[in-house]
Each structure stands twice: as structure tokens, then as C-alpha cells.
Amino acid sequence: MNGRIDIVTIFPGYLAPLDLSLVGKARSEGVLDVGVHDLRDWTADRHRTVDDTPFGGGAGMVMRPDVWGTALDDVLLTEADSRTLVLPTPAGERFTQAMAEELALLVCAGGQIAFACGRYEGIDARVAEHYANRDDVTVREVSIGDYVLNGGEVAALVITEAVARLLPGVIGNPQSLVEESHGSAGLLEYPVYTKPPTWRDLDVPEVLRSGDHGRIGTWRRARAVERTARRRPDLLARHAPPRVREAKAIDAEAIADVAARTFPLACPPHLNDADAGAFVAEQLDAAAFRRYLRSRDRDVLVAEVAGAVVGYAMLVRARPTAPDVLSAVSAETTAELSKCYVLPEHHRTQVAAELMAGTLEQARQRGVRAVWLGVNQSNERAQRFYRKHGFTRVGTRQFTVGNSVESDYVMERTLEP
């Protein structure tokens, strides 16, 4: 037999939304079999009583186990390949997309999900205990969030829709399930846009109107990672550890996007936006990074999270020539850590540390004995980061950004062979 979903409640009308939208269409076309049952049909008195006062005293009423037991014995199908009894409760395990996928597979395999929608102070605890002790029923107490509702019907609707839309034939375009929030990649979905291209002085991003599907895919992945890092960093920590690798020519535009966002953050407060912007346009655009990637004396590494570039570092393998730097560093210094930037939403994660570790390892493999860098004297956060990774201050230098001459500290680290 095909799998099915059954919902037992004292308010069958509450489940009317199951006749609407894609779930309703799936039911009418026989793709999804859902039964809604009135618990009061299994009562034995003329008042159709489903509850009574709690043992031990206390406010509210508790739903009776004898009524629930009679109902569930009838609703749980002996011919189903498997039976899962779901009890919605704020005390249950957290409902997730992974659980929705698990329950959908159960239904696809001919199993049954039965919801027992409690009300008042809940269902007598012996109901869950009894069915959990049966070998032919799996009991799951499930919460849809850290809050309390008047009953389990809303949770049953939520879980049913989340499960139903994963069943074959319910969603018209299966690709929609791949790219949405909380999918297999563990990311929140990227922002979406439609016509008109300009609305209330807000434009659709140019890349989405370019027709370049490669750029569009890269942009969407980057925005999904950015949104997840800002709103749900726990998802990235759980599903997407950072990865450091050598950059490729195809990464030039993504690196330039990171550079455009990060370079101004490292500049001193007094530096005007025009000078910072001019420096980015001249030294850190996609064309510049393509040149850097072709250079034999430069190594560019990127930090990726879930396939999106979120940081980069550049190692220039050459003895410094500027007199103020040359006089400060040791004779062994043969490379400059020219760039090391990570997007701000990934600060306070392992991304920057992994990027630094990967860059220093690259330097070792290239035979570099010592590395120097320049960091603006007002950027205390960056200085702390570099000290943490073994760099010490050895001098100062002048660095020009646009029309502004800035003072940097020169820091150096010797590498173990």
C-alpha cells in the first residue's frame, strides 16, 4: 500500500487548510493520502468527554488515555509497512528539515504517520508510554519551536506540509527543493527577485540580469552563505567547515567582491571613501586579480565556506625593496603577506585562522624562510590577529592609499623549515 498521514483532533475543521494549495492538489489527485479524524467519535458518553481533572491537582484539564487509546488503536493501520505516532508538544525534540526528509521517506516506503493533537494541559503521559512499548509503533514527541500553542493542530499542519512537499509529484519543480533554505547544503536560501527591475529606487542586482548562468550561480551561492553566516552561523558551523585552497582564474570576480567589501573595513576612520574606492578599483578589481593569478611570484589562496569564497590571502614571494621595510626585516625575509581578508560575517569563526594557516603552509612549501606584512597602525584588531599567529612588530613604513599617506606597522614571522 501507499503511505499515508492521519491526524486525530477534537477540531477537525482546523485542518481544512490541507485542502488548499499544492497539498490540497496532491490529495485530490491521489498523490497524498491524508485522513482527518474527530477524537470525539471514540467517546463512550453522551457528552463526548475527552478530558478530566489532573491527578495531583493543578490548573487545567488532561486528555483521557482511554479515549486516545481506542482512537489510536483504530487509526494505526495494521497493514502499513511501518507506523509512527507523532505527538506535538513543546517538550518534544525539535522539528527540522532533516526530520521532515526522514518522515517523507517513511511515507514513500508505505509507512503511516499518525498525529495525536493534544489540547488543554496535554495528553495523559501513559498514551506515549504505551505505544512506545509496542514493537510495531515508533513514538516521536516533536516540537516546532520554543513556544506554547493551545493545541497540536498547528504543529500537525506544519509537519504535514513540510513532509508532503518532499513527496514525489507534490512540488512541480523538484529543483526548488534543492536550493531552498535548510536543504542538503545546510544553508538559508539566497534572496530572490522578479519584475519590475527597479522598484522604489531599489534595483535588481545586475548579475541576475546578465544572462551569465555561471556568474548567477556563484552570486546565489555567495549570498546564501552570507545570509546564513549573518542569521544562522550555527548552521555553517555544523554543515560547512571552511576550506582553504589555491585560487583559480575563475575565482577572480569572487575574490574582487570580497576585496571590495573588506578593504574599506581595514582602512583608518579618517580615510575618505573616494580614496578607498579608487584603491579598490585600481588594485583589487577582477582584472587585477587575474593578473595576480598569472604572476609567477605570487600565491593567491581563498577560503571557501559551502563553495563560496569568503576570504583570500596573497603571498608575494620577493625580497622587499622599500628602504623602510628592508631596514626593519631580517635577512631571511623573502615574502610579503600582501593581503589577508575575511568577510565580516565570518569574523569570530575559524575561517581567518584556517586561511592564515594555509597561507603560511604554502609559504613553507615554496621555501620561504620568513614573511613580513604591513598593518595600519590604527587597526588594533588586525594587529592582535597577526600577533596571535606569531608575527611581531619590527618597524614602520609609509603606505599610500589614493591621496592619503598612511603609517603601517611592519610585522614579521619566521617559519620553521
Side-chain angles (χ1 to χ4, degrees):
M1 61 170 287
N2 293 325
R4 61 177 282 124
I5 296 173
D6 288 278
I7 304 172
V8 184
T9 171
I10 60 171
F11 295 117
Y14 214 117
L15 286 303
L18 292 175
D19 289 325
L20 305 175
S21 189
L22 293 177
V23 175
K25 181 181 179 183
R27 292 182 71 187
S28 65
E29 294 178 351
V31 175
L32 175 63
D33 192 1
V34 179
V36 179
H37 313 275
D38 188 343
L39 176 66
R40 296 187 190 277
D41 290 343
W42 282 276
T43 56
D45 65 316
R46 64 188 181 92
H47 297 295
R48 307 181 78 197
T49 304
V50 297
D51 62 324
D52 212 323
T53 55
F55 279 112
M61 303 289 279
V62 177
M63 302 192 86
R64 295 175 58 103
D66 50 350
V67 179
W68 271 110
T70 304
L72 293 174
D73 284 348
D74 287 349
V75 169
L76 290 166
L77 303 173
T78 57
E79 64 269 28
D81 291 341
S82 64
R83 287 154 294 280
T84 296
L85 174 61
V86 175
L87 299 168
T89 166
E93 61 179 312
R94 179 74 67 88
F95 183 64
T96 64
Q97 185 67 21
M99 189 189 298
E101 293 168 359
E102 181 183 343
L103 294 174
L105 287 174
L106 183 153
V107 174
C108 287
Q112 179 193 22
I113 301 172
F115 290 91
C117 298
R119 281 268 157 177
Y120 317 125
E121 295 303 307
I123 300 172
D124 187 301
R126 288 170 293 179
V127 173
E129 182 179 356
H130 167 76
Y131 288 99
N133 287 332
R134 283 177 48 170
D135 294 335
D136 60 340
V137 178
T138 298
V139 174
R140 302 191 73 163
E141 298 186 62
V142 179
S143 167
I144 61 170
D146 296 339
Y147 47 85
V148 178
L149 301 168
N150 287 332
E153 289 79 11
V154 170
L157 279 172
V158 167
I159 297 171
T160 298
E161 178 158 321
V163 170
R165 63 193 305 278
L166 299 176
L167 302 177
V170 175
I171 298 292
N173 182 2
Q175 186 63 26
S176 300
L177 302 177
V178 176
E179 297 181 342
E180 64 191 5
S181 295
H182 303 288
S184 58
L187 302 176
L188 303 183
E189 191 174 6
Y190 51 78
V192 296
Y193 302 85
T194 187
K195 297 178 180 64
T198 300
W199 176 75
R200 297 186 180 179
D201 297 326
L202 298 172
D203 294 331
V204 173
E206 179 276 330
V207 63
L208 298 180
R209 294 176 282 145
S210 69
D212 187 328
H213 294 291
R215 288 182 63 209
I216 291 171
T218 299
W219 182 90
R220 285 175 168 169
R221 174 54 63 107
R223 299 291 80 73
V225 171
E226 177 185 348
R227 176 179 278 184
T228 308
R230 290 184 181 279
R231 301 180 183 179
R232 292 292 305 276
D234 58 300
L235 295 178
L236 291 182
R238 190 160 64 245
H239 296 286
R243 169 179 175 248
V244 176
R245 61 171 174 81
E246 290 190 58
K248 305 174 183 177
I250 197 173
D251 298 316
E253 188 168 347
I255 299 172
D257 287 342
V258 173
R261 287 186 56 195
T262 55
F263 179 77
L265 300 177
C267 293
H270 63 264
L271 185 69
N272 63 60
D273 293 341
D275 281 343
F279 185 88
V280 169
E282 294 170 7
Q283 304 291 331
L284 301 174
D285 65 353
F289 280 106
R290 291 189 188 96
R291 293 195 303 272
Y292 300 148
L293 290 166
R294 291 194 298 266
S295 175
R296 293 184 177 181
D297 63 354
R298 293 175 187 258
D299 293 305
V300 181
L301 290 89
V302 294
E304 281 186 331
V305 170
V309 174
V310 301
Y312 76 100
M314 185 187 300
L315 192 71
V316 181
R317 289 177 281 105
R319 180 77 176 152
T321 58
D324 49 359
V325 177
L326 194 58
S327 64
V329 299
S330 65
E332 294 181 326
T333 301
T334 56
E336 176 192 4
L337 182 57
S338 174
K339 307 284 188 296
C340 187
Y341 292 113
V342 170
L343 290 172
E345 57 266 24
H346 297 278
H347 292 174
R348 297 177 296 280
T349 71
Q350 288 301 306
V351 174
E354 293 287 344
L355 180 59
M356 176 62 77
T359 303
L360 295 178
E361 180 58 30
Q362 179 81 351
R364 288 190 189 93
Q365 293 179 9
R366 295 290 195 184
V368 173
R369 301 289 301 279
V371 178
W372 74 276
L373 59 85
V375 57
N376 194 276
Q377 293 184 12
S378 65
N379 193 340
E380 295 181 0
R381 182 186 62 81
Q383 293 168 41
R384 287 195 301 271
F385 174 78
Y386 293 130
R387 286 196 298 270
K388 180 180 178 181
H389 290 275
F391 286 85
T392 58
R393 189 195 306 175
V394 294
T396 62
R397 70 158 182 175
Q398 300 298 305
F399 183 72
T400 302
V401 179
N403 297 316
S404 178
V405 178
E406 300 298 327
S407 295
D408 282 359
Y409 287 128
V410 175
M411 302 183 76
E412 182 182 44
R413 171 174 168 166
T414 301
L415 302 181
E416 298 293 334

